[in-house]
Every structure is written in structure tokens, then in C-alpha cells.
């Protein structure tokens, strides 16, 4: 069995119910959900939206190889009302499931990049990841999730940004 780390999220419809339905579908169709973070509420990232997002990280033991896991996650998204349309990359959605890590593997294909390429830029990913895997070492960046989050938060709030002298 391999360990996959997924993040589920959305901001349309019954978001909390959709997160629960996604977790149940992942448990049925992907593998055993071994750990899950608390649900984090956040602003939209990469676009403007009135509705706030809810996100949750899941650590799953799975026998599915990465490409099949991706397909299964896309299927679950569709079951929960996700419609992918041409146009802007980011937008509101009922459900989004991203594959963050798969064991310590590095995959870079036309369809799939593991680890997810924007993990270190997104606190809505790092915060719940830190809750469940604080000491996990990112296989490309060679830093723990805790270190990546600390760096992101420091970059967003550099010392002295509040006008106080250091």
C-alpha cells in the first residue's frame, strides 16, 4: 500500500456536506483514510470570490497507482457536481480534490505533477498539512511541512512590516 496525501475543498453548495461526501467516497473508492485534518476556512486563492472555501487534508493508504488515483479523484469531483469548463484556471467549485503527495515519489507527466507544484505558496494547504504531517519532508524542496509553512508566513509578514523596529 502507498500513502497518498489529498486535499479536498470547495466553496459552492453545501460545502461541509460535500467535504464529508468526498471523504466517504475516497474511503470507498480510493483506500483507507488514515488521518484527516480539521476543516480550514479560507479566502479564494488566485481569483476573487464572495464565498469562502473549506478545505481538508486526508492521508490515504491506497493500492491505486498515481494516474488511477487521479482519475478516481476526478470521478468523485464530478459525482459531487464539479464541472470543468474552458476559461480561467481558478474559479468557484463544489469540489476540488488535489493529489499533494504520493509516498515520496516525484512524478512529472502531461497529466500529473507530484508533489503538487504550488504547495509551498498556499497556506490553505500548508496549515492543514502541518496539522497531520508536520515533519513530513517535501521530496523536492527537502524541507518539512512545518518549515515550509513558517517560511510562507514569514514572507507574508516580514519582521518590521507592522512599522515596529526590530
Amino acid at each position: 500500500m502507498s500513502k497518498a496525501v489529498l486535499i479536498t475543498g470547495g466553496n459552492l453548495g453545501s460545502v461541509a456536506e460535500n467535504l464529508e461526501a468526498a471523504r466517504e467516497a475516497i474511503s470507498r473508492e480510493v483506500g483507507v483514510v488514515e488521518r484527516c485534518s480539521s476543516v480550514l476556512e479560507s479566502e479564494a486563492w488566485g481569483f476573487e470570490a464572495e464565498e469562502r472555501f473549506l478545505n481538508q487534508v486526508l492521508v490515504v493508504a491506497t493500492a491505486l497507482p498515481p494516474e488511477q488515483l487521479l482519475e478516481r479523484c476526478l470521478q468523485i469531483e464530478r459525482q459531487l457536481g464539479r464541472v470543468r469548463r474552458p476559461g480561467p484556471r481558478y474559479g468557484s467549485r463544489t469540489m476540488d480534490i488535489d493529489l499533494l503527495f504520493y509516498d515520496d515519489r516525484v512524478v512529472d507527466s502531461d497529466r500529473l505533477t507530484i508533489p503538487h507544484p504550488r504547495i509551498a505558496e498556499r497556506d490553505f494547504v500548508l496549515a492543514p498539512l502541518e496539522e497531520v504531517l508536520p515533519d513530513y519532508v517535501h521530496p523536492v524542496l527537502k524541507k518539512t511541512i512545518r518549515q515550509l509553512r513558517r517560511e510562507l508566513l514569514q514572507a507574508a509578514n516580514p519582521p518590521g512590516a507592522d512599522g515596529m523596529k526590530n
Side-chain angles (χ1 to χ4, degrees):
M1 295 293 272
S2 293
K3 296 274 194 250
V5 182
L6 308 172
I7 186 165
T8 59
N11 71 330
L12 294 178
S14 302
V15 182
E17 290 174 19
N18 286 344
L19 285 179
E20 185 176 334
R23 193 171 52 251
E24 290 171 1
I26 289 166
S27 184
R28 267 191 327 273
E29 301 175 32
V30 172
V32 176
V33 176
E34 295 183 335
R35 284 186 262 172
C36 45
S37 72
S38 52
V39 174
L40 176 77
E41 183 176 337
S42 65
E43 298 289 332
W45 189 94
F47 71 102
E48 297 290 323
E50 287 184 29
E51 308 86 358
R52 293 177 62 84
F53 275 78
L54 295 180
N55 293 284
Q56 185 173 44
V57 165
L58 309 173
V59 179
V60 183
T62 185
L64 296 174
E67 289 281 345
Q68 283 185 333
L69 176 56
L70 172 66
E71 280 306 315
R72 195 68 52 90
C73 289
L74 292 172
Q75 211 171 38
I76 293 168
E77 285 180 0
R78 286 189 297 272
Q79 290 167 3
L80 294 172
R82 174 80 186 261
V83 177
R84 292 180 183 266
R85 294 184 175 92
R89 177 182 190 123
Y90 301 115
S92 294
R93 73 262 335 237
T94 57
M95 179 52 55
D96 187 38
I97 304 172
D98 285 337
L99 177 51
L100 302 176
F101 299 109
Y102 187 95
D103 291 332
D104 290 331
R105 291 184 53 185
V106 177
V107 176
D108 192 9
S109 71
D110 291 341
R111 294 207 62 225
L112 183 61
T113 303
I114 305 171
H116 191 287
R118 287 173 292 285
I119 290 171
E121 303 168 17
R122 299 172 169 180
D123 193 51
F124 72 87
V125 175
L126 288 173
L129 255 178
E130 183 180 32
E131 184 181 324
V132 294
L133 295 170
D135 298 317
Y136 178 78
V137 177
H138 189 293
V140 173
L141 302 176
K142 305 298 185 202
K143 295 178 182 179
T144 66
I145 298 303
R146 182 180 288 121
Q147 288 172 308
L148 291 172
R149 183 155 191 246
R150 185 174 41 234
E151 288 175 6
L152 179 66
L153 294 176
Q154 287 173 345
N157 300 300
D162 59 3
M164 301 294 289
K165 290 187 178 188
N166 295 337

